Amino acid sequence: MVQALLEDAEDQQATDTTVRIWLSKLKDVASDAEDLLMDFTIRDSTVYTRNASEVTKILKVLETTIDEGFRLNLREGSMVHREWDGRETSSFVVESEVYGREEDKEKIVELLLSCKATQVGKASSISIVGMGGIGKTTLAQLVYGDERVTQHFDVKVWVFVSNQFDVKNIMVAVIESVTKEKCRILNMDALHSAVWSLLHRKRYLIVLDDVWIEKPEDLDKLKPLFRGGIDGSKILITTRSRKVAFMLESPSFSCHLNGLSEDACWSLFVQRAFQQGEEELHPALLPIGQQIVRKCGGLPLAAKALGSLMRFKREIREWLFVRDSELWNLDECESGILSALRLSYFHLPPHLKRCLVFCSIFPRHYEIKKDKLIQLWMAEGLVQSSSRKPPEDIGNDYFNNLLWMSFFIEIKRCDNGVVMGHKMHDVIYDFVQSVAGLEYAILDCQLLAPRSFRQIRHSSIVCNFKSTVIPIELCDAKHLRTLLLFSGGTFEELPHECYSNFKYLLVLDLCGSNLVDIDASIGHVSCLC
């Protein structure tokens, strides 16, 4: 019951303070229950007698807390549906307000105008793939409105798909777009026949914007759109998932969209932050604005959101505040950038959400080694067991799913393109920090902020080159499950209290330290994997 409620509440807590408070309370008591179960597993038989009253107490608290959750009317998916409201797109775009996509546009237009490598009477597909906010829809709008594209195709259709995949709705949208009349056909066979009649012996372009389906059987339902036209017919798809592009049956081409240049992001920012030419009246704000733009990481949605945020701010202190704030603490970013990324997060199954949030304890720009991350997930119990596949293979599937959804990006060696590691885009990193709860914490040895250490379950210590000691306050985190050290090799001492206090520790990574000797008291940490 706890796990079921947690999955529902995780999505709703983003915008509901009451749910957020309750969720934190439920996690605390669930963690206490887990600690007690671990005591039963690793201690002698007398633990049952000593902890009998504790079992009764925790059961009562769990029941009371779960009842409170039921009174909050948590319903699976309700938050997700609200996030999708109002996102419907159209083919219209103001080209003068788009920056930095000239090369990408020409590449897609060239593919659209090409008539080769297709079977007779079968449309080929082109996928524009990228993370939320990268500008996939904008690029599709640019090529859709290009005069060369308009002259090349007999029929053009724009359909907004979203996560509510419904083949009937897609067929109806195609029919209404071509006929300019209300479609009243309800039978699927009649819809297929109508679409075939409208597209037969025509060169057509159909844009399917914001496609989330990843099951082959769902994609099979779109087959009528791929047949009936003459050579050169195209289906243009925008999606956040590489899986969609891989599973398309027809001859396909995929364009993985990268971020904008800093100059293009600056142009977008200025366009939103100032009226035309107004920036010249505020020269002192411009260098601060350029520093703010670096937060965007090439994401056009971020540049627009931050520019809009500064639209009515003309005091230097206001601009400095935004420059020095994290994205998840800025209201405009919460409703714009992070909201867009939250859709990708909602789309993940619960086990992948937990694996992603675990990465919140890595420092910014940390180079992730896939095999090591999978081992950490396994040690934390985040990899679901299976009798058919080894846990390493299951963890590899988890990692690839997050990679295909653009939560991770590849780090390649320039000369040969070999993937050396992975990292999180700056804005993705900010998003993961925003959804991580109080149980995840990155601590700085010199800048230790006051907080409730009792709630910390997973933590990393980032030490500068002058510091060699773990903050003693961390010893209050008696429920700690994970401790990672990132110190550039300068860390030399682990307080004795850590070994005695962290008896539920599952993962201790000292690779980022310069420890020579480990205290024999580490034997008290009996849960270490």
Side-chain angles (χ1 to χ4, degrees), residues 161-167 170 208 211-223 226 237 239 241-249 347-349 351 401 404-405:
V161 180
S162 83
N163 72 322
Q164 301 299 313
F165 176 79
D166 188 320
V167 68
I170 294 173
L208 301 177
V211 176
W212 292 76
I213 54 174
E214 296 181 348
K215 298 178 181 178
E217 57 268 29
D218 288 337
L219 288 171
D220 285 345
K221 298 174 184 177
L222 295 177
K223 283 184 178 179
F226 288 85
I237 292 174
T239 179
S241 173
R242 295 188 196 178
K243 281 188 176 181
V244 173
F246 289 152
M247 289 190 295
L248 290 170
E249 177 187 303
H347 192 69
L348 296 174
H351 61 277
N401 282 325
W404 289 335
M405 284 296 291

Side-chain angles (χ1 to χ4, degrees), residues 443-447 461-471 486-493 512-514:
L443 304 177
D444 188 305
C445 290
Q446 297 299 305
L447 303 173
I461 308 293
V462 180
C463 298
N464 61 30
F465 291 102
K466 296 180 181 179
S467 177
T468 60
V469 182
I470 276 186
F486 301 100
S487 65
T490 62
F491 182 83
E492 297 176 354
E493 181 180 354
S513 70
N514 196 31

Side-chain angles (χ1 to χ4, degrees), residues 357-363 376 380 437-445 448 451-453 455-462 470-471 473-475 477-486 502 505-510:
V357 171
F358 177 82
C359 299
S360 66
I361 61 174
F362 295 146
L376 290 174
E380 297 289 349
L438 296 175
E439 64 268 32
Y440 297 90
I442 297 179
L443 304 177
D444 188 305
C445 290
L448 197 60
R451 59 179 297 157
S452 174
F453 284 90
Q455 293 181 294
I456 297 177
R457 304 289 184 269
H458 310 279
S459 179
S460 63
I461 308 293
V462 180
I470 276 186
E473 295 92 335
L474 184 63
C475 293
K478 299 182 185 297
H479 302 275
L480 199 67
R481 302 283 195 271
T482 311
L483 180 60
L484 312 179
L485 299 184
F486 301 100
F502 299 157
L505 200 65
L506 297 174
V507 174
L508 175 63
D509 188 346
L510 304 176

